[in-house]
Amino acid sequence: VQLQASGGGLVQPGSSLRLSCSVGGFPLDIHNIAWFRQAPGKEREGIAAISTGDGNTYYADSVKGRFTISRDNVKKTVYLQMDALEPEDTATYYCAWRPRPIVVRFWRLPREWDTWGQGTQVTVSS
């Protein structure tokens, strides 16, 4: 499985940005995909995930109501729509993949995910 994240940039507080994670290798509908982020000096944290089959979504409290994860199985792409961005959202964003069902208690842990794409930088600053 190959993952490629894109869409990062420099935006002002309150702005929106949409990240894309292109998934290669297998049909998207058999993948579980998550978005993580890592700010300088901080640990990598899971912020959103979407599961195969039922399409259930999961969010960290810090982004709930502002970020939306979705997928387009035809384009084999998972999106992260980020609205009302705050300076605290500044980080490198990564998408990750796992073939096994998402475990709700642990999905935010990096060790739960098998394959990672390269990061895309998001900077929120005035």
Side-chain angles (χ1 to χ4, degrees):
V1 173
Q2 302 88 39
L3 306 175
Q4 184 169 0
S6 62
L10 171 63
V11 296
Q12 293 186 340
S15 299
S16 297
L17 205 58
R18 189 177 76 164
L19 305 183
S20 299
C21 177
S22 177
V23 181
F26 292 96
L28 182 59
D29 58 359
I30 66 170
H31 297 289
N32 297 293
I33 301 291
W35 284 98
F36 282 73
R37 69 184 181 187
Q38 188 167 19
K42 295 188 177 181
E43 294 184 351
R44 191 171 297 189
E45 61 170 348
I47 55 172
I50 188 165
S51 64
T52 60
D54 57 17
N56 282 346
T57 56
Y58 308 87
Y59 296 96
D61 288 344
S62 58
V63 304
K64 197 174 295 183
R66 299 189 299 122
F67 291 9
T68 304
I69 189 170
S70 62
R71 68 182 187 210
D72 184 326
N73 290 343
V74 174
K75 295 183 178 180
K76 299 179 69 175
T77 301
V78 173
Y79 301 101
L80 184 68
Q81 177 66 40
M82 306 187 295
D83 299 320
L85 282 163
E86 305 168 351
E88 293 73 22
D89 296 316
T90 295
T92 302
Y93 284 69
Y94 302 87
C95 54
W97 168 86
R98 61 179 273 147
R100 303 169 306 284
I102 290 174
V103 179
V104 176
R105 287 181 60 191
F106 303 119
W107 73 266
R108 297 192 64 202
L109 300 176
R111 68 169 187 257
E112 291 289 304
W113 299 85
D114 295 26
T115 301
W116 296 79
Q118 89 291 357
T120 184
Q121 179 67 36
V122 173
T123 303
V124 184
S125 175
S126 56

